[in-house]
Amino acid sequence: MDLLEYQGKQLFARHGLRVSSGKAVTTVEDARKAAEEVGYPVVVKAQVLIGGRGKAGGVKLAADAEETAMHAGNILGMDIHGHTVNTLWIEHASDIATEYYASVLLDRSAKKPLVMFSVEGGVDIEQVAEESPEKLIRHHVDPLEGLSREEAREIARRGGVDPDVVEGVADALVALYEVWKAEDATLAEINPLIVTPEREVKALDAKVSLDANALYRHPENQSLADGENEDPIERRAKEEGVQYVKLDGDIGILGNGAGLVMSTLDVVAQAGGSPANFLDAGGGSDAEKIKQAVELILANDAVKAVLFNIFGGITRGDEVAKGLIAAFDEIRPSVPFVVRLDGTNDVEGRRLLQEAALPNVHAAQTMNDAAELVVALAAGQKGAEVHV
Amino acid sequence: MSILVDERTRLAVAGITGREGSFHTLNDRRYGTNVVGGVTPGKGGQDVEGIPVFDSWAEAMAEAQPNTAMIFVPPRFAADSILEAAAAGVALVIAITEGIPAHDELRVYNMLRRDHPGTRLIGPNCPGILSPGKANVGIIPASFFKEGNVGVVSRSGTLTYQIGNEIARAGFGCSTIVGIGGDPVPGSSFVDVLELFEADEQTELVVLSGEIGGSAEEEAADYIAEHMSKPVVAYIAGFTAPAGKQMGHAGAIVSGSAGTAAAKAQALEARGVRVGRTPTEAAEIAVEVLGGASVPAP
């Protein structure tokens, strides 16, 4: 679960990391009021979950009320690489002497938290890692011990920070680790971490991802993330507890098990089609859940055909068939369906479907056959003459 | 032989009194797995169709001497149950539970290494382990598999059934099927399981089924090139997954440019591992390497 900059900064402040005072607003009028409160000059910053805001014109300096209103008006509603700007963060502008980079993330390979630090801040860190890896300090932390002040100082020294800010940088690193740990983050990143002319160390940006599986112990974080830019079908799926990811294509996909669904998307793409979604109906899906899933898939207007790919383990083929029959009774879909049922109770499931003789529902024997058939149907190359 | 679970398995189950826990425990027992107990705090002294329930892992160990634990408790209790089983001296812990916070998994992984190096964890968020004809611990539908010489290790449950079933239709069986789970910090990686298959006499070929996210497949590629004498055939899911989107499994996510299916397939192929483009093709390659006919149409 990725957080907007201002939400990340709120978490930073909660754990003693220095950030500039600011306010999140959604209108030009409120932007002006916020600027008065935090004091000019201010920075007007687009709040979107995508990099490259500055280059896209989503971050502007304003010296007075007039400039604030102008920039706020321009940036609100702006499209930044497909993300609409609905919220602005108005923050008191900082003087910058130096820009560093700092992050804490979960290193899946080492199975330890990884602290990364560089004096080359304010630029793309993947580029630093590639072009001058010696300037990127990587330090694994024992998660059972945490990051000690001494370790943090050592990271700052190894990174080559100005001697007078070793303590300030160490403070920031310890606080950033605390954010990562206490908030169940998978990533907590500051780019840039700045040093002001007064030699104060401050987070000028914030990129935080939280673990959705841990939200039950952080009720105060439940409402975070960019709800405005969230896809409405994805939001509805989340509320219904269905694993759904919207994609760009026109073939709706339902399968059971994350791996099988990912594989189904690939096989459809290899057959020349373009999947409209990922939907994992999960283990042990009953008829009601299947109906709910069909509704979600068809909520996307782009869908021209739907593929059910079920390999029953805990999921039973007869339950899937019943769910599909119930869904057809209520929804009466206008697009063709291809159904491949294998595994537990597959024979019974196929028999139920055959008896129901649902209009425009085609059976396929294998995953590959099913993919080819659904691609042809979506392209309008086959119609009612396709035999079951 | 076979690996991890067999006729010597003495299984105890945390969460045996829950709906899912009891259903799958009894299923495993029907398959022939020796189930010696269950653990549910506060329900000690009860039984589930004759299987004694204990209040704690320590008590289960004292009374029933399990050597294998299956964890079926809800996510918020799972980490402690795994550690408790390890502290009681259970050598193999198989965690089925899905949805455990990543930080808990990190703590469990590092605590096991530090304090309980004798305990191996498989999962969490996995379907368990099946050694056909010997024992089933978890939720893998055993009827699709028969005994044989193919080892299977996978991050996904249903994909394992898909591939395993195609191999079975071609007349081959499996030594052991191991689901290592779809979470970011699994207790055991591909490499850990490959090492066991390499040493197992029954296993002649290994099918590895990976997916996007992390670098476990790349690490497996290096391990195979350097340490494996047995052929490995791979399949990778998620070529069409967009970056930054979690595809069902907590661990199935492409972060920036890291963890793509293309990079994984490439790493494996560069190390001489054949990678099937579809599950069917992976099964066909496995059958071909084993010297059998190609998979007949069902």
Side-chain angles (χ1 to χ4, degrees), chain B residues 244-265:
Chain B
K245 287 280 191 180
Q246 191 178 302
M247 304 299 271
H249 284 155
I253 182 165
V254 174
S255 315
S257 56
T260 63
K264 290 169 187 297

Side-chain angles (χ1 to χ4, degrees), chain A residues 47-355:
Chain A
Q47 298 297 291
V48 282
L49 294 175
I50 188 98
R53 288 177 301 172
K55 276 185 195 147
V59 180
K60 293 285 183 191
L61 193 65
D64 53 31
E66 199 185 330
E67 281 187 18
T68 304
M70 181 183 75
H71 293 316
N74 287 340
I75 299 173
L76 276 172
M78 184 186 270
D79 179 289
I80 300 182
H81 308 303
H83 293 244
T84 307
V85 182
N86 299 301
T87 305
L88 299 173
W89 173 245
I90 311 292
E91 147 177 310
H92 183 68
S94 302
D95 290 326
I96 301 170
T98 315
E99 293 182 296
Y100 298 151
Y101 169 91
S103 67
V104 181
L105 55 89
L106 167 58
D107 183 343
R108 291 170 59 169
S109 177
K111 281 137 181 122
K112 282 187 165 49
L114 175 65
V115 177
M116 294 205 287
F117 179 81
S118 177
V119 291
E120 301 277 307
V123 293
D124 179 8
I125 199 64
E126 286 200 11
Q127 200 180 327
V128 176
E130 206 167 290
E131 287 168 10
S132 37
E134 74 286 353
K135 288 195 174 147
L136 183 64
I137 307 301
R138 297 162 54 90
H139 176 84
H140 283 110
V141 178
D142 180 343
L144 306 177
E145 301 290 336
L147 179 71
S148 71
R149 278 204 60 85
E150 193 36 58
E151 275 175 288
R153 275 192 210 107
E154 186 52 32
I155 293 167
R157 279 193 213 104
R158 271 173 59 209
V161 305
D162 298 335
D164 67 324
V165 291
V166 167
E167 290 302 320
V169 168
D171 280 343
L173 290 175
V174 169
L176 188 63
Y177 186 84
E178 185 56 26
V179 169
W180 183 84
K181 173 110 173 87
E183 303 290 347
D184 272 294
T186 48
L187 170 71
E189 182 183 69
I190 312 171
N191 192 17
L193 176 71
I194 62 160
V195 182
T196 67
E198 296 77 34
R199 313 309 283 166
E200 197 183 29
V201 178
K202 241 162 62 165
L204 206 61
D205 199 357
K207 192 173 169 189
V208 177
S209 296
L210 300 179
D211 178 3
N213 282 343
L215 273 181
Y216 71 84
R217 51 190 177 208
H218 305 283
E220 71 285 6
N221 292 346
Q222 297 271 8
S223 61
L224 298 181
D226 183 10
E228 296 282 333
N229 269 324
E230 202 174 13
D231 179 86
I233 307 175
E234 286 187 4
R235 194 184 322 164
R236 184 172 139 199
K238 206 188 287 173
E239 284 162 11
E240 293 175 0
V242 179
Q243 304 264 21
Y244 174 97
V245 178
K246 174 111 174 281
L247 301 168
D248 296 332
D250 57 8
I251 297 175
I253 308 278
L254 176 146
N256 61 319
L260 186 65
V261 183
M262 271 187 271
S263 174
T264 308
L265 303 182
D266 292 350
V267 172
V268 165
Q270 283 166 14
S274 180
N277 67 273
F278 167 104
L279 192 152
D280 177 5
S285 294
D286 56 15
E288 184 57 35
K289 268 176 89 176
I290 295 293
K291 202 190 90 197
Q292 194 180 29
V294 171
E295 285 170 349
L296 279 170
I297 291 170
L298 296 177
N300 176 359
D301 292 336
V303 170
K304 287 194 199 140
V306 178
L307 170 58
F308 264 46
N309 186 21
I310 301 293
F311 195 99
I314 315 176
T315 307
R316 291 163 38 188
D318 55 330
E319 281 289 332
V320 174
K322 281 179 198 158
L324 191 59
I325 294 164
F328 265 72
D329 264 354
E330 272 185 45
I331 311 166
R332 305 200 175 279
S334 55
V335 300
F337 277 58
V338 175
V339 181
R340 180 256 179 166
L341 279 181
D342 215 332
T344 309
N345 294 4
D346 55 346
V347 176
E348 174 67 4
R350 284 198 290 264
R351 191 186 62 79
L352 286 171
L353 282 178
Q354 206 167 11
E355 280 178 9

